[in-house]
Amino acid sequence: MKLREEYMAFNLLRSEQNKPRAIALMAAMMLGLAACSGGATSTGSEGAASEGSEMASEGTTESAEATKGGEIRAASAYDLSGSIDPATTSAAVTLAGNWHVMEGLVELDRVTGEPYAALAKELPKVDGNTFEVDLREGAKFSDGTDVKADDVVFSYNRVLENKEGFYDDFISFIEKVEPVDDDTIKFTMSSPFSLIDERLSVVKIVPKALVEKDAEAYGQLPVGSGPWKYVSATPNDKIVYAPNENYNGPKPASAETMTWDLLSDPAARVTALLDETVSAIENVPANDKESIENQGFKVESVDSFGLAFLMFNTKKAPWDKVEARQALFYALDIPTLIDDYLGGDANPVKSFLNEKHPNFHEAKNVYTYDVNKAKELLSQAGVQEGQEVTLRIADSWIKPMAPAIQQQLEAVGLKVNLKEMPSKALYPEIDSGDNDIVIAPGDPSVFGSDPDLLMRWWYGKNVWSETRYAWADNPEFEKLQGLLDEAAKLEGDAQQQKWNEAFDLLSEQVPLYPIMHRKVPTAYNENVLQNFKPVSTTGLSFIDVSVKQQ
C-alpha cells in the first residue's frame, strides 16, 4: 500500500465535501492490505518493497545496525538562491549545506551548540590579546590540496574586509590575522573577548588559490575541507553530496552519498517522507504532524531561537514614540495565533531569548494580550481612532496568520493596509525608506547561539539599525552598544548581568522585537537514519549520521 495514498485520504478527510471520496479511497486501501501476502510491508531506504518486514510503526530501530554505506536523502524546505560562497551566503539551505562541506577552525555541534576543534588541532588558548591556532595535521581540501595558514589568513581577511557583508560584525574583535608558519596562525584582538571558541566557527576556511582564480565560479560549488563535498547544486531540484575522501577530521561521512531534494511545497515534502523517497524533512506543517506520526515516522518540535518579529520605522510618527510601539505588542493575541496557525509549535515571548536558551533572563517588560492597555498607549502617543498604517508581512510560515493579525490591530483602533510580500521584495522596499510596520521571521542562530551574536545581528551598527528601523542615532541605541561591548569582555555572572540589562532595554524600547519564538518541527524515519537528531534552527544536520542496513 502506498503511503502517498494514505496521505491523500487524510487530506481529503479534512474537507467535509471530500469525505465520500476519502472514505472510498480508504476502503480501497484496506482491501489492498488484505490481499497482500506475507503480512504488512514497508519500503526500505531505497524505496523497494520488502515482504514480511515489520511496519515502521512497529519499529526495527533496535535490531538494525549502522554501517558505512547507503544514501542519506532528505527534503529541504528552501530553494537555492545566489552564491553558496561561505563568506557571503545567508540563505537557509546553503548555510546548512556548508555545515557539511566547509570547516571553520572551530565548529559548533549543531545539536548541542558546543564548540569543538575542527580545522584547529585544539581549541585556542588566549594569552592577553593574542592567541595562536595550529592546524589539524594532514588537513586537506576535497580537491586534495593541503590546508595552509595562508588559506586561513586569506579567509579571515576576506570576511573582515567585506564591509558590504555581515560576517565582519561577528568577528569585529579581531584586529589582525597573520601566519606564523605553514601550519600556525596568530590572531591579535583589539580588546579582550570571551566568546572566541563560538565565534571562530563563523568563518569557513576556503582555498585561497581557487577563490583568487575565479571567486564567482567558486561560489557556485565551493570546495571545503569538511566531511562532505558538493557534487552538484541545481535550483528547483536538488543538491548532491559525496564523502570527502581527503577528510581526516573527527566527524567523517558515514554514507556513500547524500541528496537534498529542494521541496518548498509543504505537501510535496510530506509526501516524499511518507513514500520513503526521503528519510527526513524540515519545517513540518502543523496539520500533518499527526498523520505522519500515525504512519510510524518520528516528529519532533525543538525549542529554538527562531522567531517572528515586529519592526517599526522609528523615524515615522507615531512609531517614533515608544508608547505606540509597545501598544502593538499588547494588541496581539499571541497564544491564540500560536494555537490556531502553528499547532502549538511556538512560545509567547518573555525575553529576547527563548526560555530554553542557557542565557535566558525574563525581561523587564513581558507583553500579554490586553486590548485596553493597547488603546491607552496609542492614545498617549497621540494616535487617532482609525489612523491608517501599512503592515508588511513576509510570505513565510507567518503568512497564514496575516488576516488574524490585521483584525487584532484593527480592534485597537487602527486602519490596517495589509501587504503580504516575499522577502526578496520586502527588504529592498523597506530599505528604500518606504516602510511603516513589518512582521517577518528571522533566525541568526544558524551562525551561532551566543547572546552577543544574536543581538548584534539585529541591533549592531548595520542596515537593520541604520535603515530598516532607523534607530541608530537614538541615545538608547548607544547605551545598548555599550552594554554589549562591556559584556563581551566579561565572563560568568558579570557577563550575564550586562546581557540581562540589554534584554531589559530591548523589551522596553522594542524598535524590533520578537512576538513569538518558534519550535522547529522535523520529521524523520528512525528505521533508516542512525544518530539523527533535529536541530534547533533552520536546516538539517547529518554530521555523525549514518544509514541503517536492514
Side-chain angles (χ1 to χ4, degrees):
M1 178 177 66
K2 283 288 187 182
L3 293 175
R4 178 193 300 269
E5 293 169 347
E6 291 191 21
Y7 179 53
M8 288 169 57
F10 281 120
N11 278 335
L12 287 169
L13 282 168
R14 291 180 190 149
S15 174
E16 192 68 30
Q17 64 267 30
N18 282 326
K19 277 190 176 180
R21 181 182 167 202
I23 292 169
L25 179 59
M26 291 295 288
M29 290 190 296
M30 294 306 294
L31 287 172
L33 263 179
C36 290
S37 61
T41 64
S42 67
T43 54
S45 61
E46 295 181 0
S50 173
E51 276 196 356
S53 64
E54 296 179 336
M55 286 290 288
S57 59
E58 297 178 19
T60 57
T61 302
E62 293 182 3
S63 60
E65 295 182 359
T67 61
K68 292 187 176 181
E71 179 187 28
I72 293 172
R73 190 149 194 152
S76 169
Y78 304 93
D79 195 15
L80 285 169
S81 177
S83 174
I84 308 176
D85 189 332
T88 59
T89 186
S90 61
V93 69
T94 53
L95 284 167
N98 283 342
W99 296 341
H100 300 77
V101 173
M102 313 302 299
E103 285 185 294
L105 295 171
V106 174
E107 280 298 325
L108 300 179
D109 184 301
R110 292 295 160 182
V111 176
T112 67
E114 290 298 312
Y116 63 91
L119 263 177
K121 188 175 182 179
E122 59 184 6
L123 294 176
K125 297 178 177 62
V126 180
D127 182 13
N129 278 10
T130 66
F131 62 94
E132 292 188 356
V133 176
D134 291 325
L135 292 174
R136 184 176 73 225
E137 293 179 12
K140 295 179 181 294
F141 293 109
S142 61
D143 65 355
T145 58
D146 293 332
V147 181
K148 295 294 186 184
D150 281 346
D151 297 307
V152 177
V153 173
F154 173 78
S155 299
Y156 271 85
N157 285 338
R158 183 167 185 249
V159 170
L160 287 167
E161 293 166 6
N162 182 17
K163 298 306 180 186
E164 294 184 2
F166 47 84
Y167 289 94
D168 58 304
D169 282 345
F170 299 153
I171 58 169
S172 58
F173 64 94
I174 295 176
E175 190 173 79
K176 189 193 304 184
V177 187
E178 53 193 330
V180 175
D181 53 39
D182 277 353
D183 302 311
T184 306
I185 307 96
K186 180 181 179 181
F187 290 81
T188 303
M189 300 182 290
S190 56
S191 60
F193 188 77
S194 63
L195 302 166
I196 291 168
D197 291 348
E198 291 84 353
R199 210 53 64 81
L200 291 185
S201 69
V202 168
V203 178
K204 308 306 180 189
I205 307 308
V206 302
K208 177 182 178 182
L210 281 182
V211 177
E212 286 188 328
K213 181 180 178 181
D214 191 337
E216 185 175 347
Y218 177 81
Q220 298 307 304
L221 215 61
V223 170
S225 61
W228 293 89
K229 63 182 179 182
Y230 288 115
V231 175
S232 63
T234 308
N236 300 310
D237 187 10
K238 60 179 176 285
I239 304 174
V240 180
Y241 307 79
N244 174 8
E245 59 272 22
N246 294 300
Y247 179 76
N248 70 342
K251 298 179 179 292
S254 297
E256 291 176 1
T257 185
M258 180 166 67
T259 302
W260 294 3
D261 294 324
L262 306 177
L263 301 177
S264 58
D265 178 61
R269 289 196 303 281
V270 172
T271 300
L273 180 71
L274 296 181
D275 274 351
E276 298 192 46
T277 303
V278 302
S279 300
I281 65 172
E282 63 174 332
N283 208 4
V284 179
N287 289 338
D288 291 309
K289 290 172 65 176
E290 184 176 355
S291 62
I292 291 171
E293 289 176 327
N294 286 341
Q295 297 305 318
F297 299 94
K298 185 79 170 179
V299 181
E300 289 187 47
S301 295
V302 181
D303 285 286
S304 78
F305 175 75
L307 51 80
F309 62 79
L310 177 58
M311 179 175 69
F312 305 87
N313 180 356
T314 64
K315 293 297 183 188
K316 182 177 182 180
W319 317 121
D320 55 337
K321 295 182 175 62
V322 69
E323 294 85 359
R325 301 196 296 266
Q326 290 178 345
L328 268 59
F329 289 90
Y330 286 112
L332 296 176
D333 184 358
I334 298 302
T336 298
L337 292 173
I338 290 171
D339 287 342
D340 289 353
Y341 298 96
L342 295 176
D345 269 349
N347 293 310
V349 168
K350 291 187 178 180
S351 185
F352 175 70
L353 300 179
N354 71 308
E355 287 189 77
K356 295 295 179 67
H357 195 287
N359 298 106
F360 171 79
H361 155 78
E362 184 167 318
K364 177 181 177 181
N365 294 273
V366 176
Y367 297 93
T368 55
Y369 183 47
D370 190 332
V371 170
N372 291 332
K373 181 71 171 177
K375 289 181 176 180
E376 178 186 339
L377 287 168
L378 287 172
S379 177
Q380 289 177 20
V383 178
Q384 300 297 313
E385 180 81 17
Q387 178 159 332
E388 196 167 329
V389 299
T390 298
L391 169 62
R392 290 172 173 81
I393 289 187
D395 186 356
S396 64
W397 55 270
I398 304 167
K399 182 179 177 180
M401 307 178 198
I405 290 173
Q406 180 183 26
Q407 291 174 4
Q408 290 174 10
L409 295 182
E410 291 190 336
V412 299
L414 299 173
K415 174 67 174 90
V416 179
N417 298 317
L418 183 62
K419 195 171 183 180
E420 300 172 10
M421 306 175 66
S423 294
K424 64 182 179 182
L426 185 151
Y427 286 107
E429 188 165 298
I430 63 176
D431 287 348
S432 71
D434 182 20
N435 67 305
D436 205 354
I437 54 178
V438 173
I439 294 180
D443 186 7
S445 67
V446 292
F447 306 111
S449 60
D450 69 81
D452 181 84
L453 182 152
L454 297 176
M455 281 189 278
R456 287 188 192 273
W457 173 258
W458 280 302
Y459 307 113
K461 294 181 180 179
N462 54 35
V463 67
W464 290 98
S465 62
E466 293 176 349
T467 303
R468 291 176 179 170
Y469 57 88
W471 197 58
D473 59 355
N474 190 292
E476 295 297 318
F477 177 81
E478 290 304 319
K479 181 179 178 181
L480 176 64
Q481 302 311 300
L483 291 171
L484 294 178
D485 290 343
E486 288 180 66
K489 300 174 185 178
L490 302 171
E491 296 182 17
D493 291 343
Q495 183 179 66
Q496 182 68 51
Q497 180 57 41
K498 290 298 176 185
W499 282 337
N500 292 351
E501 292 179 42
F503 300 147
D504 287 345
L505 186 153
L506 290 171
S507 77
E508 181 178 63
Q509 294 296 315
V510 292
L512 176 154
Y513 199 65
I515 57 174
M516 64 181 70
H517 286 108
R518 195 185 185 199
K519 296 180 181 179
V520 178
T522 302
Y524 59 100
N525 191 333
E526 292 181 291
N527 292 323
V528 174
L529 298 177
Q530 175 85 7
N531 294 329
F532 177 83
K533 293 181 180 178
V535 297
S536 62
T537 187
T538 305
L540 297 165
S541 174
F542 297 96
I543 301 297
D544 286 333
V545 174
S546 57
V547 178
K548 294 179 179 178
Q549 304 300 305
Q550 303 295 330

